[in-house]
C-alpha cells in the first residue's frame, strides 16, 4: 500500500482562478478545514507578494494547524544577489512555516527569455536558494516549473536543475506541467527517465488545460512520484489544477494507496462543498465522486438495473466519499448525512426511528427547494430544532415592505417598514438606508432591541448570493448565505427564494434567532 | 496521420444529463450544427423509446444531413422473439437512417441479473440482432455495454460477445466503459488483448465518473481504436461522457490524427457554445480549449512572461480552436493588460501616451471603488469605450422604482417601474415578478423591445453577488456579476454599489448595452 502525500495549493495556485478572491478570513477558514480533512500539506500563499498573505501567515503563527504541515510559497531568489539579501526571502522566513515551497526555472527558453540570465546562473540561483532555506531548518519542496516542456526542449539541462536543487538539500523535487500541455504517456516516460538519474523523492503538479490533470497525476504516481499537488474543486488559473477530491478518491479507493487517514474519506464531499461555499464558486453537479449528479440515475434502463444490482451502473459505493445515490425521478437520499450532523450538535436521533425517517423526508424537501446546509450549520440547527419542536420563536413577522428608488440625478436609496409581534406585543418599525437588505436588518433590530438587548453585540460579517438554477437568470431561485459574529462565535445561515430580498430576510432572521437561542442557553 | 472517426451522441447519451431536456426542434438544430462542424456520425436518438425521437427522425428523413452520417440507437432485440418481430426494430428501420447503433450485454453479471437470460441466449440475441440489421443494408455500430467491467469479470465471455457481433457482420465494435470506473492503463491493456483476438475495427465510448473520460479515450486510440464516441460539452448521465471538443482538439493538434476536415477546427468553440445555448447548460469558464478562462492569465509573473514569449505559459495557440488569449485585469497588473485588451478591441492606445496614463488612473479609481474587471470583459470594454468617448449610449435612464413586499400570509412579490429615453422618445414601463431584479430586467426589456428586437435572442445565465468589505455586513458594498449569453457568445458584466438593486441594475444595463454594441458592429 504505497503512501502518496497530498499537497494542497488551493490557497495559492487555486486563488489564481478567475473569479476567486479570498479574504484573509476566508483563507484561515479554508486552512482549518483542510487541516481537518487529513491532507498532509497546506500551501497558504506567497508572503511578500501581498499584505493579505502576510496577515494570513501572522494569524496562523498564533494558532497553528493540528495535522497538516503549513507551507509558504515563493520563487527562487532574485538574480544578482544572494538569497540572504533578497527581501522576499525575509518575508518567507518571517512567515515562520515548517515548510517552504519555491519554484525555479527548468526550461532553457524561460531562463533566457523570461528570467533573462545564463543557464549556469540559473543553476547557481537554485543551489543558493535551496541551501539558504535548508540552513534555516525548513522542509524544502522544490517546484520545477515547466519541467516537462523544459525536458522536451533540453533534457540534460532540465536534469541539471533538479540535481542543483537535490544537491543543495531539497527534500522533494516536484515536476510541474505548468502549461497543462503534456499527455499521460509523456509524463510517465519522462519521469521514468528522471528516476534513472535522480535519487531524491519526486512529486507531481499538473494543470487541466487538456482535461488531463488527474490522468497525468495518476500516470506520475504510477511512475514513482510520492507527492501530488493540486487544489480542491480543481480551482486554478486558466483551466485549473489537478482536482484533489478526485485524486484522493481514486488513489484511496481504486489504487490502494494510502493518502488521508482512514475514516476521513467520508468527509471528502463536505470539505469540497465547504471550500466551494467560501470561494463562492459552485461545484459542478457532474463533478466526479462528490457532485450532486455523480451518482444520479436518469435513464430508465439504468434505474431498473440498479435496483436489480447496484454494481450494474455504479463503479463504486457513493457513501465512501459522503455522497449518495439519487434517482432523478424520485429523490432517495440516505439518512447518514443528517444523523452525523445531528450528533455533532448533541441532538440524539436514532437513525432507525420513525422520527428520523420523517426528518429525512423534510430535509430532502428542503434540499429539493435549493437549501444546502453544508455551509450553514446555524440554519441547520434551527431547522432540526424546529422539526423536533424543541424551538420556541422569539418573534413573529406580520409583514414587511421594502422600497428602492433611483432618481434621474443617479442617487439611489432604500426604505423598509415592518410589523412584528414579540411576547404578544405588536411593534411597527422603519429604517432607511443605502440598500434594501440593510434597511430591513435595521428595521428588525430597531423593533427587537427593547426586548433583546444582546443583539447589539452581534453583527453581520459576510453576505453571499448564488443563483441556483442558472438557466433562469434573474428569475431563478437564489441562495443567500449570511455570516454573523459576536464576541464569542461566528455562524452562517441560509435563505432560498426567487426573490433576493425574501431570501436575504430568511437568512437574516435565522441569524438573529440563532444568536438569541445561543444567548438563552447561557 | 491516422484517421479517427468522431461519433457524437449528444442527442442520445447527452440527453441523459440531469437538467438536459431537448425539444424536437432543439434536436434538429443541434444535428444541423454538428453536421456543419465536420464530425462523422450524429446519433439522433432511440426511435421507439419516445415520440420525440420518432418525430426527430421523420423530420431528418425529409431533409437529410449533408456531411455526417445519421445514426439511430437501440438495444439488441428482446429475448424470446426474433429481431424481425421486435416492435422496437420496426421503429428502428422506420427511422430510415444509414447507420444504426445497438448496444448489447458483455458482462455476465448483467446477462444474468439484468437481462435475466443464459449466457448462450445473449450471444444468439447479439447475432440475430446484427444479422437482421445487416440484411436491411445498415451500417451497424455495435456498442459493447460495460465491456471493460465484463472483461475484468469474464474475459472469455466478453470476447465471445464481440465475436458474435463481428461474425454477424457488425461494421465496428465499440468498447464501452459504461460506469466510468476504468483507468487508462486498464483500457489500454484490455484493448491490446482484444486486438489479438478480434480483427474487426474497434471504437471507444467512455464516461467521466473519475474525470478520466478523455484520458481513457486517448489511451484507447493509442491502443488502436479508430472511432471515438462522446458528446459536446461532456453532457451525459452522472458525470457525463467524453467531451468531444476536448478530444477533437487533442487528437488534431497534439497527436496528429485526422478527425474533422481541415479548416473546421476554428469553429469548435462556436459549435460548443451553440449546443450549450440550445441545451440551456452553460459551459464552465475553465473548460479546456474553448472556455472563457482557458487562455486567461491572472498572475503577474505569467502576464509578464507571456509578453516576453507567448510559448512561456500557453501550451497551444488559442486561435486554432476559435478561442483567444485574455489578460485578466486586476489590481496587481500594470498598464499592459488593458493596452493588450484595447488592441484586441482594435482600439489603439500608445502605452507611453498621456491618454494611457489617464486611463490607468481611471481604472485604478474604479478598482478602488470595488469594480473588478477580471471576470467582466464586457463591462471593461464598455468602460474603455466610454473613457475614449467612442461610445454612444443606446438609451438613457430617467429613474426607476422597485417595491418588494412580504405579507402576513408569507407571500412575497416585487414590482418595478422605470422611465427611459430612446432616440429622444420617452418610455414608461412596468413589470411585476417574484423578485426585484427580474422585475427590473423585465421592465427594461419591455421598454427597449420595440427599438432593439435582437434583445430577444439574449438571456441572463448567471447572477453572482459578493460583499466587498466583509467587515460591514449588509451595509457593505456589493459586487454583482451577471453572465449573459446569446447563440454566439457569452459575456460577463459587473456592477458595484452599497445597494444590491442598484449594483444589479448597473450590471444589467452593461449586459444589454454590450449585446447591442456587439450587434451594431455586424
Amino acid at each position: 500500500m504505497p503512501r502518496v502525500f497530498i499537497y494542497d495549493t488551493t490557497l495559492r495556485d487555486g486563488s489564481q482562478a478567475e473569479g476567486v478572491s479570498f479574504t484573509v478570513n476566508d483563507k484561515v477558514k479554508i486552512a482549518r478545514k483542510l487541516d481537518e480533512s487529513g491532507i498532509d500539506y497546506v500551501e497558504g500563499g506567497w508572503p511578500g507578494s501581498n499584505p493579505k498573505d502576510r496577515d494570513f501567515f501572522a494569524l496562523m503563527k498564533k494558532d497553528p494547524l493540528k495535522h497538516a504541515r503549513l507551507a509558504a510559497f515563493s520563487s527562487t531568489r532574485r538574480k544578482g544577489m544572494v538569497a540572504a539579501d533578497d527581501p522576499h526571502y525575509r518575508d518567507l522566513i518571517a512567515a515562520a512555516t515548517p515548510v517552504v515551497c519555491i519554484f525555479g526555472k527548468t526550461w532553457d527558453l524561460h531562463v533566457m527569455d523570461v528570467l533573462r540570465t545564463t543557464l549556469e546562473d540559473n543553476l547557481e540561483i537554485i543551489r543558493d536558494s535551496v541551501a539558504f532555506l535548508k540552513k534555516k531548518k525548513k522542509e524544502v519542496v522544490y517546484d520545477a516549473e515547466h519541467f516537462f516542456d523544459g525536458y522536451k526542449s533540453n533534457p540534460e539541462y532540465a536534469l541539471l536543475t533538479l540535481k542543483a536543487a537535490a544537491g543543495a538539500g531539497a527534500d522533494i523535487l516536484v515536476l510541474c506541467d505548468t502549461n497543462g500541455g503534456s499527455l499521460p504517456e509523456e509524463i510517465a516516460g519522462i519521469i521514468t527517465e528522471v528516476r534513472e538519474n535522480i535519487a531524491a523523492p519526486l512529486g507531481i503538479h499538473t494543470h487541466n488545460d487538456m482535461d488531463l490533470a488527474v490522468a497525468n497525476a495518476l500516470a506520475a504516481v504510477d511512475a514513482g512520484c510520492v507527492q501530488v499537488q493540486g487544489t480542491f474543486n480543481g480551482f486554478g488559473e486558466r483551466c485549473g489544477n489537478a482536482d484533489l477530491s478526485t485524486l484522493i478518491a481514486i488513489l484511496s479507493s481504486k489504487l490502494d494507496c494510502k493518502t488521508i487517514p482512514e475514516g476521513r474519506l467520508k468527509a471528502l464531499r463536505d470539505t469540497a462543498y465547504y471550500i466551494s461555499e467560501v470561494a463562492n464558486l459552485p461545484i459542478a453537479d457532474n463533478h466526479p465522486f462528490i457532485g450532486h449528479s455523480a451518482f444520479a440515475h436518469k435513464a430508465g434502463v439504468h434505474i431498473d438495473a440498479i435496483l436489480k444490482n447496484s454494481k450494474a451502473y455504479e463503479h463504486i459505493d457513493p457513501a465512501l466519499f459522503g455522497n449518495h445515490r439519487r434517482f432523478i425521478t424520485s429523490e432517495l437520499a440516505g439518512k447518514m448525512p443528517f444523523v452525523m450532523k445531528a450528533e455533532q450538535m448533541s441532538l440524539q436521533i436514532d437513525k432507525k426511528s420513525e422520527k428520523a425517517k420523517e426528518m429525512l423526508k423534510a430535509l430532502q424537501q428542503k434540499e429539493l427547494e435549493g437549501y444546502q446546509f453544508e455551509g450553514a450549520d446555524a440554519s441547520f440547527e434551527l431547522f432540526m430544532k424546529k422539526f423536533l419542536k424543541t424551538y420556541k420563536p422569539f418573534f413573529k413577522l406580520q409583514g414587511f415592505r421594502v422600497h428602492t428608488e433611483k432618481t434621474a440625478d443617479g442617487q439611489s436609496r432604500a426604505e423598509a417598514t415592518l410589523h412584528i409581534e414579540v411576547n404578544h406585543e405588536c411593534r411597527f418599525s422603519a429604517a432607511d438606508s443605502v440598500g434594501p437588505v440593510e434597511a430591513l436588518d435595521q428595521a428588525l433590530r430597531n423593533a427587537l432591541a427593547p426586548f433583546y438587548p444582546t443583539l447589539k453585540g452581534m453583527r453581520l460579517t459576510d453576505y453571499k448570493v448564488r443563483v441556483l438554477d442558472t438557466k433562469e437568470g434573474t428569475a431563478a431561485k437564489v441562495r443567500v448565505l449570511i455570516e454573523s459574529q459576536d464576541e464569542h462565535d461566528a455562524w452562517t445561515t441560509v435563505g432560498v427564494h426567487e426573490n433576493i430580498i425574501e431570501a436575504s430576510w430568511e437568512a437574516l432572521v435565522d441569524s438573529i434567532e440563532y444568536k438569541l437561542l445561543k444567548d438563552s442557553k447561557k
Side-chain angles (χ1 to χ4, degrees), chain A:
Chain A
M1 207 186 201
R3 175 76 163 94
V4 178
F5 292 87
I6 305 294
Y7 184 107
D8 179 279
T9 177
T10 306
L11 297 176
R12 204 269 310 167
D13 227 5
S15 74
Q16 299 294 348
E18 185 162 9
V20 168
S21 173
F22 293 129
T23 64
V24 175
N25 189 31
D26 288 344
K27 295 188 78 153
V28 172
K29 281 160 66 179
I30 290 175
R32 304 251 176 259
K33 191 74 178 178
L34 289 169
D35 193 25
E36 266 174 44
S37 79
I39 62 156
D40 301 290
Y41 296 89
V42 173
E43 190 173 85
W46 191 335
S49 77
N50 62 68
K52 210 191 276 176
D53 283 6
R54 195 193 50 218
D55 293 352
F56 167 78
F57 284 110
L59 283 168
M60 296 311 290
K61 204 155 104 183
K62 279 190 220 151
D63 186 8
L65 298 180
K66 291 184 175 52
H67 167 91
R69 288 173 73 74
L70 187 66
F73 183 80
S74 195
S75 64
T76 47
R77 62 119 169 113
R78 284 189 203 169
K79 64 180 175 182
M81 56 170 63
V82 294
D85 292 340
D86 186 332
H88 278 108
Y89 272 51
R90 276 201 293 275
D91 293 326
L92 191 57
I93 299 302
T97 56
V99 183
V100 295
C101 175
I102 57 167
F103 76 94
K105 297 289 183 194
T106 313
W107 193 356
D108 49 9
L109 170 141
H110 262 259
V111 175
M112 293 179 293
D113 284 11
V114 181
L115 199 57
R116 292 186 174 162
T117 189
T118 63
L119 296 181
E120 177 47 40
D121 186 41
N122 180 48
L123 297 179
E124 177 51 30
I125 287 173
I126 295 170
R127 276 191 291 265
D128 179 40
S129 304
V130 173
F132 172 78
L133 294 168
K134 285 309 296 178
K135 219 181 291 165
K136 296 286 180 184
K137 309 280 181 233
K138 301 291 181 186
E139 177 178 342
V140 176
V141 176
Y142 178 75
D143 267 17
E145 198 199 24
H146 289 109
F147 183 78
F148 299 94
D149 292 313
Y151 192 93
K152 288 176 219 169
S153 154
N154 185 341
E156 292 76 22
Y157 186 69
L159 287 174
L160 284 178
T161 65
L162 293 186
K163 284 176 183 162
D171 294 279
I172 188 162
L173 311 175
V174 179
L175 312 180
C176 303
D177 184 31
T178 310
N179 289 351
S182 295
L183 296 158
E185 62 265 30
E186 293 176 321
I187 300 271
I190 290 173
I191 292 174
T192 304
E193 288 175 32
V194 169
R195 291 191 70 203
E196 287 161 9
N197 289 281
I198 305 274
L202 300 178
I204 184 75
H205 175 116
T206 56
H207 281 264
N208 209 34
D209 296 75
M210 304 206 294
D211 201 9
L212 294 171
V214 165
N216 283 344
L218 293 176
V221 169
D222 191 51
C225 286
V226 296
Q227 180 187 103
V228 170
Q229 296 192 346
T231 63
F232 261 84
N233 308 328
F235 293 159
E237 194 152 32
R238 305 186 312 274
C239 305
N241 287 52
D243 190 305
L244 281 186
S245 65
T246 308
L247 275 167
I248 291 170
I250 297 175
L251 289 168
S252 307
S253 72
K254 295 271 174 174
L255 293 169
D256 205 30
C257 294
K258 204 167 140 33
T259 58
I260 59 177
E262 279 197 42
R264 304 272 178 108
L265 211 53
K266 268 205 196 84
L268 205 54
R269 182 169 180 273
D270 178 57
T271 306
Y273 274 89
Y274 183 87
I275 292 171
S276 150
E277 288 293 337
V278 175
N280 204 17
L281 272 191
I283 290 181
D285 281 345
N286 64 2
H287 196 106
F289 296 99
I290 56 160
H292 187 60
S293 310
F295 298 92
H297 303 280
K298 182 173 172 185
V301 285
H302 287 202
I303 293 176
D304 186 53
I306 281 269
L307 293 173
K308 288 174 179 162
N309 185 330
S310 77
K311 262 180 72 186
Y313 283 92
E314 266 169 14
H315 68 102
I316 200 150
D317 179 5
L320 279 177
F321 318 101
N323 209 343
H324 53 264
R325 178 183 308 154
R326 290 169 51 235
F327 293 108
I328 290 178
T329 41
S330 60
E331 293 282 321
L332 291 177
K335 263 173 267 177
M336 274 324 284
F338 84 83
V339 172
M340 277 165 63
K341 276 199 181 170
E343 267 169 32
Q344 287 168 349
M345 288 169 198
S346 334
L347 291 172
Q348 293 304 330
I349 303 170
D350 176 2
K351 79 176 150 187
K352 301 222 165 103
S353 66
E354 204 49 40
K355 202 88 213 155
K357 243 189 255 170
E358 281 168 32
M359 188 184 266
L360 177 64
K361 232 166 131 182
L363 184 67
Q364 283 170 338
Q365 185 53 38
K366 292 294 266 188
E367 286 184 344
L368 212 63
E369 289 165 18
Y371 288 81
Q372 216 179 14
F373 293 108
E374 272 98 348
D377 273 347
S379 283
F380 186 69
E381 185 168 337
L382 291 169
F383 163 77
M384 291 188 65
K385 291 199 163 144
K386 282 173 187 170
F387 182 84
L388 295 171
K389 308 230 176 357
T390 64
Y391 181 78
K392 195 185 143 289
F394 294 90
F395 63 93
K396 206 179 144 197
L397 177 77
Q398 303 294 356
F400 68 68
R401 285 182 187 168
V402 187
H403 183 80
T404 311
E405 184 169 353
K406 182 177 170 115
T407 45
D409 61 2
Q411 295 301 308
S412 61
R413 59 190 190 89
E415 296 169 4
T417 55
L418 54 78
H419 289 86
I420 58 168
E421 199 186 303
V422 191
N423 302 339
H424 308 289
E425 252 183 68
C426 272
R427 285 269 160 169
F428 170 75
S429 162
D432 70 338
S433 180
V434 67
V437 182
E438 209 217 352
L440 255 181
D441 183 32
Q442 274 311 326
L444 181 58
R445 284 163 181 261
N446 291 348
L448 291 174
F451 303 94
Y452 305 112
T454 65
L455 285 181
K456 264 189 308 197
M458 132 189 200
R459 60 197 185 82
L460 308 185
T461 51
D462 206 356
Y463 173 73
K464 284 178 191 168
V465 183
R466 168 162 316 155
V467 168
L468 292 181
D469 184 354
T470 59
K471 267 173 274 165
E472 306 296 330
T474 53
K477 276 192 178 171
V478 293
R479 179 165 58 227
V480 169
L481 285 178
I482 285 182
E483 238 179 80
S484 310
Q485 110 180 14
D486 61 13
E487 57 270 38
H488 304 293
D489 291 296
W491 60 97
T492 307
T493 53
V494 61
V496 173
H497 203 271
E498 289 91 350
N499 182 324
I500 193 170
I501 304 293
E502 167 71 16
S504 304
W505 169 260
E506 273 187 28
L508 214 55
V509 168
D510 265 15
S511 167
I512 285 175
E513 288 193 322
Y514 185 82
K515 162 74 176 163
L516 295 175
L517 186 68
K518 202 165 69 85
D519 290 350
S520 72
K521 287 181 204 159
K522 281 181 193 159

